[in-house]
Amino acid sequence: MRHGSARALDVVGTLARLGLAGIWLVSGVLKAADPDQTYIAVRAYDVLPTAGVTVVADVLPWLEIALGLLLLAGAGTRAVAGLSAAVLLVFIAGVTQAWARGLSIDCGCFGGGGQVAPGETAYGLELLRDTGFLLLAVWLLIRPRTLFALDDRLESRPVARSGEGRN
């Protein structure tokens, strides 16, 4: 029975890993495809100086794509899940502060973003969605073992000691 429950947890972890990978890849590709709109979305939060907005808008899409590719491959799953959780907490804080300050913006989480008409915000849904994504990352932090992951292959390979295998 233990073996079956461990296998079920591996399946749940695999779904969490692949789901989070897909989220990062879609989000990153949409942002990378429209860097001007990404800049507008980051600027709309009104928390960074212009230079900071530029850096975040330039780096964020590629960070998200990198996180997605690493999760897709299952490479460094626990570390990538930790970084994912940290990024998601920043996103949650950003949306929360925008809501608390009465800003009318679209989060730009999946492209687009920027100012919207009052009443067109969806802060509650955005926070709920990002909290769900955060739960996927937390699952992988606690239990990073998943199926079809490079982590398993990298960890199970014996490491040659210096001098071994030489004639």
Side-chain angles (χ1 to χ4, degrees):
M1 184 69 177
R2 169 103 171 97
H3 180 69
S5 64
R7 177 80 170 168
L9 292 175
D10 290 350
V11 170
V12 170
T14 303
L15 293 173
R17 178 174 59 85
L18 296 177
L20 195 54
I23 290 158
W24 285 132
L25 288 170
V26 169
S27 177
V29 167
L30 289 172
K31 288 180 180 105
D34 194 351
D36 293 336
Q37 188 61 46
T38 300
Y39 178 88
I40 291 167
V42 173
R43 186 181 66 204
Y45 284 89
D46 195 28
V47 293
L48 296 171
T50 302
V53 170
T54 300
V55 169
V56 170
D58 287 346
V59 171
L60 185 58
W62 305 107
L63 172 63
E64 291 178 350
I65 290 168
L67 292 172
L69 290 173
L70 288 168
L71 285 169
L72 187 63
T77 301
R78 178 172 274 147
V80 176
L83 184 54
S84 293
V87 172
L88 287 162
L89 286 170
V90 169
F91 289 172
I92 289 168
V95 171
T96 301
Q97 70 80 33
W99 194 2
R101 292 173 52 209
L103 300 178
S104 292
I105 64 172
D106 176 296
C107 74
C109 300
F110 290 93
Q115 299 291 331
V116 296
E120 288 187 23
T121 60
Y123 295 128
L125 290 175
E126 291 165 354
L127 290 171
L128 186 61
R129 180 199 59 217
D130 286 353
T131 300
F133 298 161
L134 179 60
L135 290 174
L136 295 177
V138 168
W139 176 277
L140 293 170
L141 267 170
I142 294 169
R143 193 174 191 287
R145 178 167 167 68
T146 61
L147 304 173
F148 316 111
L150 283 179
D151 289 340
D152 289 338
R153 295 181 190 266
L154 297 173
E155 291 172 7
S156 65
R157 180 178 291 175
V159 177
R161 297 179 195 186
S162 65
E164 283 187 8
R166 294 184 186 166
N167 292 331

